[in-house]
Amino acid sequence: MTERVALIGSGNWGSAVAKIIGRNVRRFDHFDNKVKMWVFEEKVNGQNLTEIINTKHENVKYLPGIQLPSNIVACPDLLETCRDATMLVFVVPHQFVTSICKQLKGRIPDNCKAISLIKGIDVNADGFRLITDMIQESLGVPTCVLSGANIANEVAEEKFCETTIGYRNRADGELFREIFHTPTFRVNIVPDVVGVELCGALKNIVAIGGGLVDGLKLGDNTKAAIIRIGLYEMRKFSQMFYADVKDETFFESCGVADLITTCAGGRNRKVAEAHVTTGKSFDQLEQEMLNGQKLQGTSTAQDMYNILSKKNLCHEFPLMTTIYKICYEGLPPIRIVEDI
């Protein structure tokens, strides 16, 4: 059977993985060589972004300077992108997943499977849902997750790194590994979707803490302490709500490695540092610094706080609670080391 891959999303990370997938599908006989990529249509210098990608083979807005393979075909129509796909790769901000799934419901092949590259959780009145569960429940397709220490520009420049795929069905994990694994993007697959996914969402909160430490010029020992406490709280939260999350997952790329890289680089750290040095709000800095991208750490901190406060658990997660209060309640940043 020929597998057909469709990419849902074309931002910075989406474009970086498009480069990998476009090359990899050509290496195997069981993949269709054409990979459609859904692009939210916008104008760049008066020209449609899809036209630019399909003629220049470069996403000039979100991943400038990186050539995309010619078999990546940008498409502004979501249904057209996914209509005959057997493998869906979700790589959009988590706020858009619900509306995308609504549009796709009943419109994709029965033998389809999906993978989420989205770092976030969906919070509602009853608590929270994992993005993989949202996709799986609304589309009726088995869903894996990919997460790791993967700053998009470095991946696109083919600097060596690792990533983790969490699977429920090993055959799906192995199939998705084929479209992602390269000598410079090393993929390990593990039977723990929930653990991989929660690591990817929760580490963005800790990265805000890392940026606050940098802005306060507290040094490397303090940063290391925040990372350690952050990893501890990530594991504690994951296993409190999902008993079968495995300890080993936190030692994969999706766990400790992603936490380190996000606290060293990445947008959450950068904006949190600027919050300390400029005194500006996170909302204002997001607009000024991120070229239209979303800051995930603050919204995930708010989501987490809502969950923990409803269950009266804030005292058990002092780091995540303090980061929330600095982001949303005007708590002075120095409290990051005083209240934990």
Side-chain angles (χ1 to χ4, degrees):
M1 187 189 114
T2 302
E3 301 283 355
R4 283 180 296 279
V5 184
L7 264 161
I8 301 171
S10 56
N12 184 232
W13 184 215
S15 300
V17 298
K19 178 181 172 184
I20 292 172
I21 293 171
R23 284 185 183 173
N24 276 1
V25 293
R26 290 171 163 163
R27 293 177 42 228
F28 297 97
D29 292 337
H30 51 277
F31 291 105
D32 191 313
N33 273 352
K34 183 176 172 184
V35 177
K36 289 182 190 165
M37 174 171 78
W38 178 57
V39 176
F40 184 79
E41 192 67 279
E42 54 186 303
K43 293 268 196 255
V44 178
N45 300 328
Q47 201 181 353
N48 284 341
L49 183 56
T50 50
E51 288 171 24
I52 298 171
I53 292 171
N54 289 335
T55 50
K56 278 192 160 178
H57 303 296
E58 178 188 348
N59 188 334
V60 293
K61 177 156 186 189
Y62 295 110
L63 191 64
I66 298 291
Q67 277 295 114
L68 300 178
S70 59
N71 59 329
I72 296 290
V73 180
C75 178
D77 182 321
L78 177 66
L79 295 180
E80 173 58 32
T81 304
C82 303
R83 193 179 54 202
D84 55 358
T86 60
M87 298 172 72
L88 299 177
V89 178
F90 281 80
V91 55
V92 289
H94 73 270
Q95 305 89 304
F96 301 131
V97 174
T98 304
S99 68
I100 286 170
C101 287
K102 263 192 193 133
Q103 293 174 67
L104 290 178
K105 192 170 183 167
R107 306 282 190 89
I108 52 173
D110 293 340
N111 61 343
C112 204
K113 48 222 149 281
I115 191 166
S116 167
L117 277 63
I118 299 164
K119 293 181 177 176
I121 46 178
D122 180 57
V123 171
N124 51 37
D126 310 321
F128 69 98
R129 274 200 310 168
L130 300 175
I131 306 294
T132 50
D133 287 342
M134 291 170 64
I135 296 168
Q136 197 154 288
E137 286 161 21
S138 56
L139 298 181
V141 298
T143 307
C144 297
V145 63
L146 180 149
S147 189
N150 306 142
I151 290 173
N153 289 28
E154 295 179 20
V155 173
E157 289 161 9
E158 299 179 46
K159 294 173 175 169
F160 175 78
C161 69
E162 300 178 303
T163 199
T164 314
I165 288 177
Y167 65 83
R168 290 186 176 90
N169 170 343
R170 188 172 180 96
D172 290 346
E174 288 173 349
L175 191 63
F176 278 112
R177 184 181 185 275
E178 288 181 343
I179 64 169
F180 287 106
H181 182 79
T182 73
T184 56
F185 191 66
R186 183 186 288 168
V187 178
N188 194 28
I189 67 172
V190 299
D192 186 6
V193 171
V194 175
V196 174
E197 188 161 0
L198 282 172
C199 282
L202 299 177
K203 57 95 197 194
N204 283 324
I205 306 175
V206 186
I208 298 281
L212 296 171
V213 166
D214 288 341
L216 292 161
K217 302 206 169 9
L218 290 172
D220 294 334
N221 295 344
T222 309
K223 173 84 80 80
I226 295 296
I227 290 172
R228 188 206 68 78
I229 296 164
L231 187 65
Y232 173 79
E233 289 192 9
M234 283 164 58
R235 188 184 71 165
K236 183 176 181 177
F237 179 89
S238 301
Q239 294 179 337
M240 184 179 279
F241 286 89
Y242 295 92
D244 50 356
V245 167
K246 297 172 172 52
D247 275 345
E248 306 89 87
T249 302
F250 295 88
F251 295 96
E252 294 289 339
S253 181
C254 62
V256 65
D258 196 12
L259 187 57
I260 291 167
T261 198
T262 313
C263 288
R267 60 187 116 153
N268 293 284
R269 188 217 64 80
K270 183 170 74 171
V271 173
E273 180 180 36
H275 170 71
V276 178
T277 54
T278 66
K280 293 177 181 176
S281 74
F282 281 94
D283 281 345
Q284 186 181 348
L285 292 166
E286 178 181 69
Q287 288 169 355
E288 289 176 10
M289 296 174 71
L290 294 187
N291 184 30
Q293 288 183 296
K294 288 278 166 235
L295 190 66
Q296 290 152 318
T298 48
S299 58
T300 309
Q302 187 172 35
D303 292 342
M304 282 290 296
Y305 182 76
N306 291 341
I307 294 163
L308 295 174
S309 55
K310 268 195 193 115
K311 297 192 180 288
N312 205 15
L313 290 168
C314 292
H315 61 286
E316 294 208 37
F317 295 89
L319 178 65
M320 293 192 189
T321 300
T322 303
I323 289 169
Y324 163 79
K325 288 179 174 174
I326 293 167
C327 292
Y328 290 99
E329 294 183 357
L331 196 70
I334 189 63
R335 299 282 286 276
I336 183 91
V337 291
E338 294 172 353
D339 292 6
I340 59 171

